[in-house]
């Protein structure tokens, strides 16, 4: 076991232990990011597969710059908000429960975004000639699928699903609209799944 693997595993287990027993926020972005990356780097450096190559100094340098820049960004946000009061989850939920949302306008926005997504999906499928899941070479087509511009609009699928969840959780009644959005969410999820994203 290399020095890098030992250091990564020590940091990994320390972060897990302080999360579980130290009363710290387990879902802190910097903590989750560090846990995942220390485990990934520690396992990668063990060279458990014969297909793994030796990393050059530049590879480690590029990875260290990317990881440290994210952690530095989290630290900056933390220091900016250091003196601010942190509200409990129940208080945040209570605060958002009093917000009034215009259900008709919100539904219209979701449907407009969905229409943009479907138009983009159709144009991209016609341009490439196939959908990645149903093609002979799905790995290659997954990378090459889409036209620039229209291809970017296919990434509207996660926001559509996110807005539908907000609609379901924040708006009471409106059963016809919710049934329509359920159909929209199933179409969005299944079509996006066929892109192998």
């Amino acid at each position: 076991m290399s020095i890098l693997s030992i250091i990564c595993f020590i940091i990994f287990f320390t972060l897990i232990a302080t999360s579980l027993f130290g009363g710290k926020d387990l879902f802190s972005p910097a903590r989750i990011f560090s846990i995942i990356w220390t485990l990934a780097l520690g396992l990668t450096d063990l060279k458990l597969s014969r297909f793994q190559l030796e990393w050059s100094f530049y590879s480690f340098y590029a990875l260290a710059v990317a990881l440290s820049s994210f952690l530095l960004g989290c630290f900056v946000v933390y220091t900016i908000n250091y003196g601010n009061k942190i509200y409990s989850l129940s208080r945040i939920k209570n605060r958002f429960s009093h917000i009034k949302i215009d259900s008709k306008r919100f539904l219209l926005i979701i449907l407009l975004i969905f229409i943009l997504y479907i138009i983009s999906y159709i144009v991209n499928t016609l341009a490439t000639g196939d959908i990645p899941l149903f093609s002979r070479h799905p790995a290659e087509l997954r990378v090459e699928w889409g036209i620039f511009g229209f291809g970017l609009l296919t990434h509207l699928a996660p926001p559509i699903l996110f807005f539908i969840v907000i609609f379901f959780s924040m708006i009471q009644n409106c059963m016809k609209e919710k049934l329509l959005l359920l159909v929209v969410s199933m179409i969005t999820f299944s079509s996006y799944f066929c892109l192998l994203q």
Side-chain angles (χ1 to χ4, degrees):
M1 188 180 298
S2 69
I3 300 287
L4 178 65
S5 292
I6 293 171
I7 291 171
C8 285
F9 287 136
I10 288 172
I11 294 171
F12 172 77
F13 287 116
T14 304
L15 288 170
I16 294 288
T18 56
S19 297
L20 298 176
F21 305 115
K24 303 288 183 187
D25 182 15
L26 178 62
F27 296 108
S28 161
R31 184 175 296 274
I32 292 289
F33 185 81
S34 300
I35 287 172
I36 290 170
W37 272 103
T38 53
L39 179 63
L41 286 173
L43 289 175
T44 301
D45 202 53
L46 287 177
K47 306 282 189 282
L48 299 174
S49 169
R50 62 187 173 101
F51 297 111
Q52 288 176 300
L53 304 172
E54 283 293 327
W55 288 9
S56 65
F57 176 76
Y58 178 75
S59 299
F60 280 111
Y61 175 73
L63 188 62
V65 167
L67 299 179
S68 59
S69 64
F70 178 83
L71 293 174
L72 181 65
C74 289
F75 179 72
V76 167
V77 171
Y78 174 76
T79 54
I80 289 172
N81 295 312
Y82 179 69
N84 296 348
K85 183 176 180 178
I86 298 173
Y87 297 107
S88 65
L89 185 59
S90 61
R91 184 165 177 183
I92 293 172
K93 284 182 180 179
N94 188 27
R95 186 174 178 186
F96 280 105
S97 66
H98 299 300
I99 294 175
K100 300 293 182 194
I101 297 177
D102 185 359
S103 61
K104 291 181 181 177
R105 186 175 289 173
F106 193 34
L107 178 67
L108 181 65
I109 290 170
I110 294 171
L111 292 178
L112 286 174
I113 295 172
F114 176 69
I115 289 169
L116 281 173
Y117 168 74
I118 290 298
I119 290 170
S120 166
Y121 199 90
I122 291 170
V123 168
N124 285 312
T125 303
L126 291 175
T128 55
D130 211 349
I131 296 174
L133 184 66
F134 304 116
S135 69
R136 289 179 183 237
H137 305 287
E140 291 85 14
L141 188 60
R142 182 186 71 82
V143 175
E144 298 169 3
W145 191 87
I147 306 169
F148 184 76
F150 278 105
L152 294 176
L153 291 176
T154 57
H155 296 293
L156 289 173
I160 291 169
L161 297 172
F162 179 68
F163 289 151
I164 290 172
V165 169
I166 291 174
F167 191 93
F168 271 75
S169 61
M170 299 288 287
I171 296 174
Q172 305 301 322
N173 303 322
C174 301
M175 293 310 293
K176 289 180 184 177
E177 290 85 353
K178 288 184 178 181
L179 184 62
L180 174 66
L181 288 179
L182 185 64
V183 172
V184 166
S185 68
M186 290 180 355
I187 291 170
T188 304
F189 180 79
S190 59
S191 62
Y192 197 66
F193 178 78
C194 290
L195 298 181
L196 303 174
Q197 294 290 334

